[in-house]
Amino acid sequence: MVPWARPGARLSRDVEDVIAWLAQRTDKTSICRLLRVGWTTVQAVVTRVVADHLDDSRLDGLFNLGVDEISYKRGHQYLTVVADHDTGRVVWVAEGRTQAALAGFFDALGPERRPLVRAVSMDMATIYRDATRRAVPHAAICFDPFHLVSWANQAVDSVFQRVDRRSSELTGRDWRTARYALRAGAERLGDRHHQLLAAIERDRHELFQAWELKEEFRALFQSVEPDDAASYLRDWIERCVASGLAAMTSLARKIDRNFDGIVNTVRLGLSNSRLEGINAKIRLINRRGFGHPNGRNLAAMIHLCLGGIVIPLPTET
């Protein structure tokens, strides 16, 4: 043990801090060329620096969490990522897309910190949902609106596929444009799209009805007051069933099975958009390193770049 180096290191603490500071901002090749070190040295330094800075205090004061998985390697290799909605920091990274990967995070929180968790956002997969309900049954589970609206778009597309387009006033090119109009948000449509929707309302009302129901579902996350979310969604489910459209009825059943999580999303205003942004940064980190040999190395880079670790430069101390 010496004050100027970390245990097991062959470089001084100052040099390692410079390497880690650069690793937060650029690729390994540039670091190697600038400081004349090897790739394996850079990764070993990152692992030591992260271990030096990453302590249990990062798990204190966690109230609103988001969890998602990300594929980092061919062959279905995944990482489970947990982030703090309030700070935007990654607080946990574990290998695998399993209940055990998330259960390890809740175990690390411990019995004193778990009761503080108020809400957890996630996608529609049941893997993380079951682990969350077992560990923090009091916490509200919020489902990501993007995945929910994609369900509605799939239902509209199913109605579109079953519509007879041969005996219609619209041409084949018109139908291709109309398909975009049916899937896109109403606020993104131009005059031509609205003209096609008006023609569909006259000519194929069942398809227009499916589009209306989809837009009403989108409005749940955009303009409905949180206190009105439950009654609005219940009425919407009844309208879907009353439409008589098989695809919309099936969608209504799926929404009804996840009713509480959807209402929680509106009531608390939480989505997985922050996690999607974090995943985009993780993909950049992975590409910047030209891949990583294993999940542990990538997890160390994620904590270094997205975990709120501040590396002081030797010239600043």
Side-chain angles (χ1 to χ4, degrees), residues 175-304:
W175 278 112
R176 287 192 294 271
T177 305
R179 189 173 190 179
Y180 168 81
L182 292 166
R183 293 181 62 87
E187 69 279 359
R188 300 172 58 187
L189 302 181
D191 293 340
R192 177 56 180 162
H193 298 125
H194 286 292
Q195 292 172 3
L196 291 174
L197 287 173
I200 291 173
E201 184 180 11
R202 295 191 302 269
D203 201 29
R204 297 292 184 271
H205 183 71
E206 67 276 16
L207 181 56
F208 182 81
Q209 187 178 16
W211 175 79
E212 274 191 321
L213 288 169
K214 184 262 292 186
E215 286 300 312
E216 290 170 0
F217 184 64
R218 290 181 68 243
L220 173 67
F221 306 104
Q222 297 174 342
S223 57
V224 174
E225 292 295 327
D227 292 340
D228 300 332
S231 59
Y232 180 94
L233 185 58
R234 184 62 64 192
D235 291 343
W236 180 87
I237 291 173
E238 292 176 359
R239 290 197 299 274
C240 279
V241 175
S243 70
L245 300 172
M248 303 310 294
T249 301
S250 177
L251 171 64
R253 293 195 189 103
K254 291 170 67 176
I255 297 301
D256 190 47
R257 288 195 295 268
N258 299 281
F259 188 89
D260 291 339
I262 298 171
V263 172
N264 288 337
T265 299
V266 181
R267 181 170 57 85
L268 299 176
L270 290 182
S271 72
N272 249 25
S273 58
R274 185 180 289 277
L275 272 297
E276 294 299 335
I278 288 173
N279 282 350
K281 294 177 182 178
I282 291 174
R283 294 186 188 97
L284 175 60
I285 291 169
N286 202 26
R287 288 197 301 268
R288 196 170 66 185
F290 295 96
H292 290 79
N294 54 61
R296 293 186 303 276
N297 287 346
L298 178 56
M301 285 295 298
I302 293 170
H303 280 300
L304 178 67

Side-chain angles (χ1 to χ4, degrees), residues 115-136:
L116 299 177
V117 178
R118 293 195 294 250
V120 183
S121 69
M122 59 187 68
D123 58 24
M124 305 308 299
T126 59
I127 297 174
Y128 299 136
R129 192 186 317 178
D130 295 339
T132 301
R133 284 174 175 164
R134 282 196 299 270
V136 284

Side-chain angles (χ1 to χ4, degrees), residues 59-132:
L59 303 179
D60 293 337
L62 297 179
F63 304 104
N64 300 310
L65 301 171
V67 57
D68 203 358
E69 80 280 353
I70 184 168
S71 174
Y72 71 94
K73 199 173 183 180
R74 290 181 180 177
H76 300 287
Q77 300 294 315
Y78 290 92
L79 293 176
T80 294
V81 180
V82 181
D84 181 5
H85 273 291
D86 299 322
T87 64
R89 294 178 179 177
V90 172
V91 296
W92 185 264
V93 183
E95 293 187 72
R97 184 181 59 174
T98 62
Q99 294 186 29
L102 184 57
F105 164 71
F106 289 119
D107 290 342
L109 277 183
E112 294 182 356
R113 290 180 293 205
R114 280 199 296 268
L116 299 177
V117 178
R118 293 195 294 250
V120 183
S121 69
M122 59 187 68
D123 58 24
M124 305 308 299
T126 59
I127 297 174
Y128 299 136
R129 192 186 317 178
D130 295 339
T132 301

Side-chain angles (χ1 to χ4, degrees), residues 110-183:
E112 294 182 356
R113 290 180 293 205
R114 280 199 296 268
L116 299 177
V117 178
R118 293 195 294 250
V120 183
S121 69
M122 59 187 68
D123 58 24
M124 305 308 299
T126 59
I127 297 174
Y128 299 136
R129 192 186 317 178
D130 295 339
T132 301
R133 284 174 175 164
R134 282 196 299 270
V136 284
H138 62 279
I141 293 178
C142 303
F143 296 133
D144 186 41
F146 175 82
H147 292 86
L148 293 167
V149 172
S150 71
W151 281 1
N153 273 322
Q154 290 169 12
V156 174
D157 206 45
S158 179
V159 176
F160 178 86
Q161 295 291 343
R162 286 168 171 75
V163 166
D164 183 10
R165 299 189 292 273
R166 291 170 298 180
S167 56
S168 170
E169 64 180 86
L170 301 181
T171 65
R173 186 171 184 178
D174 289 337
W175 278 112
R176 287 192 294 271
T177 305
R179 189 173 190 179
Y180 168 81
L182 292 166
R183 293 181 62 87

